[in-house]
Amino acid sequence: SAPQGLYLVYHPVQLGTANAIGILMLGLIGYYIFRMTNHQKDLFRRTNGNCKIWGKKTEYIECSYMSVDGTKYYSKLMTSGFWGWARHFNYTGDLMGSLASCLSCGFEHILPYFYIVYMTILLTHRCIRDEHRCFNKYGKDWKRYTTAVPYRLIPGIF
């Protein structure tokens, strides 16, 4: 990212080969997760759930909600692919890329790490805010969804 690039202009860092490869892999995997998670969601929406994710028929939870004027609407919340691992796994990929950007600056100064702190706070807050809104919108259907996909960002942890 730009702040890390600017930092490196004035504070060059010599990373060892293993560290450089590890940081590159973290960034590439994060980018892949971010892009593929969003691609899966886009495919699911475009086909109204009639698609395959990772070679299998897409699974989802049918939800309903009432609009302000009392009209009942239906939505589908995907529980397949990356969306079955965590409810906001696209943010996880974004955080991995942000962390890789910070790690490329080494450990001589804390300044480059404000970016990952900022992104973690931003995306965690957004995640919790979105979930509060979805709970208010879908009610018991949201509970079924969070039971099916129990983690928000990091499978097995949060």
Side-chain angles (χ1 to χ4, degrees), residues 20-22 25 31 35 43 45 49 52 57 59-60 63-64 66 70 73 75 78 92 103 105 109-110 112 131 147 158:
I21 290 171
M25 293 306 298
Y31 182 73
R35 295 290 300 162
L43 178 64
R45 285 182 177 167
K52 289 187 175 187
K57 186 176 176 356
E59 296 177 9
Y60 55 85
C63 299
S64 64
M66 295 290 238
Y73 291 96
S75 293
M78 185 169 39
T92 305
L103 290 171
C105 295
H109 203 283
I110 196 169
E131 295 208 348
T147 299
F158 174 75

Side-chain angles (χ1 to χ4, degrees), residues 93-108:
D94 216 0
L95 290 171
M96 291 168 70
S98 299
L99 178 59
S101 171
C102 295
L103 290 171
S104 68
C105 295
F107 297 102
E108 295 297 314

Side-chain angles (χ1 to χ4, degrees), residues 107-145:
F107 297 102
E108 295 297 314
H109 203 283
I110 196 169
L111 186 63
Y113 289 87
F114 280 111
Y115 181 60
I116 187 63
V117 171
Y118 166 77
M119 289 298 288
T120 301
I121 292 168
L122 175 83
L123 294 178
T124 302
H125 177 267
R126 184 181 295 169
C127 168
I128 292 168
R129 181 197 67 204
D130 289 351
E131 295 208 348
H132 180 72
R133 193 186 76 231
C134 288
F135 175 73
N136 288 334
K137 180 177 179 178
Y138 297 118
K140 65 180 180 5
D141 290 335
W142 183 254
K143 288 274 194 198
R144 287 191 308 129
Y145 177 66

